[in-house]
Amino acid sequence: MLTRSVSQETVLAHFTARAPTYDASSHWCTDVALLDQIWECCGAGPESLVLDVAVGTGLVAGRFFGRVGRLVGLDLTPAMSRPGRRKVDAMVSGQAEGLPFRDDLFDVVVERQGIQFMDAARSVKEMVRVAKPGGRVCLVQLCAYGYFDRDDYFEILRLRNPARRNFFLREDLQNLLKDAGCGTVTSLDFVSVEDVDRWSDNGAIGDGPREEIRAVYRRADPRFLKLHGVELHDGRFVDHMLFCILVGVK
Ligand SMILES: C[S@@+](CC[C@H](N)C(=O)[O-])C[C@H]1O[C@@H](n2cnc3c(N)ncnc32)[C@H](O)[C@@H]1O
């Protein structure tokens, strides 16, 4: 896992600025195919008690709402979770590093694109702690394909989101779940095709970092370009971004 130091104030400020346009800020955000994969992997049903950690505006929660017994969302940033309230049965304001729930409570705990802003080891331990024995903990993260793209990609992601603290390989996520006490861990890959200019126009960064992102793509290692299937259409880069869906059973 690559990691850097970022304050929680930076995270809050970033997502407060981004909240109004968050849902439109990437193709993957609202991609029904990805949301359906997450639903399938979690194995939730009409009786399940589900927790969505870093629920944000409720895009993942919206896929679960009304299909499970009870759905709880938790997030740090009020501007993000305010619109998410309509997509959960209960919304809690708090930090994933110290979940305000008792041990062994939830059938399913899910997070998408949250632990890159957190103390990942502490947060995943908390997610596993509040899951029932036999319950599932699902992590959904944008990952590097391998060691050849990891450093350039972390740079791109840091430029796009200065609040990013961590960056993962698939095996980092596996280890986080195993170290937190999950017995079996399975993984599934999902590739999202993103127009980089649309993706970098997230409402929280200016033209300078967006131009720097294009520059990293221009000078990237040929192995990076190959792994990401990078294409240039009318002067715009298109990237095939890898999402890993990891499911641990407690
Ligand atoms: C990229 S958004 C993901 C939102 C949602 N899970 C989704 O997939 O659309 C990241 C979310 O993580 C939240 N977050 C960041 N650090 C957090 C922490 N330590 N505890 C709880 N939530 C946190 C942010 O407020 C933000 O809403």
Side-chain angles (χ1 to χ4, degrees):
M1 178 168 81
L2 296 181
T3 196
R4 54 194 278 274
S5 165
V6 174
S7 74
Q8 206 152 67
E9 289 70 37
T10 304
V11 177
L12 255 172
H14 177 86
F15 283 105
T16 302
R18 231 179 119 182
T21 55
Y22 175 81
D23 290 7
S25 63
S26 301
H27 174 69
W28 65 258
C29 277
T30 51
D31 187 343
V32 173
L34 175 56
L35 293 167
D36 282 346
Q37 285 286 359
I38 297 168
W39 166 258
E40 290 295 324
C41 287
C42 284
E47 305 297 320
S48 304
L49 178 57
V50 178
L51 172 65
D52 185 343
V53 174
V55 62
T57 59
L59 293 174
V60 173
R63 218 62 195 154
F64 285 67
F65 188 51
R67 302 167 88 184
V68 300
R70 186 168 167 78
L71 176 60
V72 180
L74 176 134
D75 203 281
L76 176 76
T77 312
M80 289 290 283
S81 58
R82 214 168 288 125
R85 287 215 163 94
R86 284 173 280 120
K87 308 210 183 118
V88 293
D89 296 300
M91 183 66 85
V92 177
S93 190
Q95 295 180 20
E97 290 88 344
L99 292 174
F101 307 107
R102 68 165 170 83
D103 296 357
D104 305 336
L105 182 61
F106 293 95
D107 298 290
V108 173
V109 182
V110 60
E111 76 77 35
R112 181 176 75 165
Q113 287 290 91
I115 59 169
Q116 72 266 35
F117 307 109
M118 303 171 185
D119 179 327
R122 268 180 68 195
S123 302
V124 175
K125 275 199 178 103
E126 280 291 274
M127 292 171 70
V128 174
R129 177 184 67 74
V130 301
K132 279 180 185 164
R136 294 189 193 187
V137 178
C138 179
L139 310 178
V140 185
Q141 290 295 137
L142 180 57
C143 285
Y145 283 90
Y147 292 104
F148 289 132
D149 64 324
R150 192 170 67 153
D151 292 357
D152 278 346
Y153 209 34
F154 193 29
E155 172 67 0
I156 288 168
L157 297 173
R158 188 192 61 75
L159 286 164
R160 192 226 181 208
N161 188 335
R164 176 178 278 269
R165 186 165 162 179
N166 309 310
F167 189 41
F168 310 99
L169 290 168
R170 187 186 298 104
E171 49 265 42
D172 295 326
L173 302 175
Q174 274 161 348
N175 290 337
L176 282 168
L177 285 167
K178 286 199 169 147
D179 291 349
C182 287
T184 57
V185 178
T186 52
S187 84
L188 191 99
D189 291 350
F190 183 94
V191 173
S192 182
V193 183
E194 300 283 348
D195 175 323
V196 170
D197 275 347
R198 176 191 164 190
W199 174 78
S200 66
D201 188 14
N202 63 8
I205 60 167
D207 288 340
R210 294 185 69 214
E211 187 45 40
E212 279 186 67
I213 290 172
R214 290 183 205 108
V216 181
Y217 275 96
R218 273 187 224 109
R219 65 167 186 264
D221 188 309
R223 289 170 295 192
F224 172 101
L225 299 174
K226 192 163 179 232
L227 281 168
H228 285 252
V230 176
E231 297 160 4
L232 200 53
H233 293 303
D234 301 327
R236 295 168 77 100
F237 289 107
V238 173
D239 191 342
H240 293 70
M241 300 186 181
L242 173 67
F243 283 81
C244 294
I245 305 174
L246 277 285
V247 179
V249 178
K250 181 172 172 183

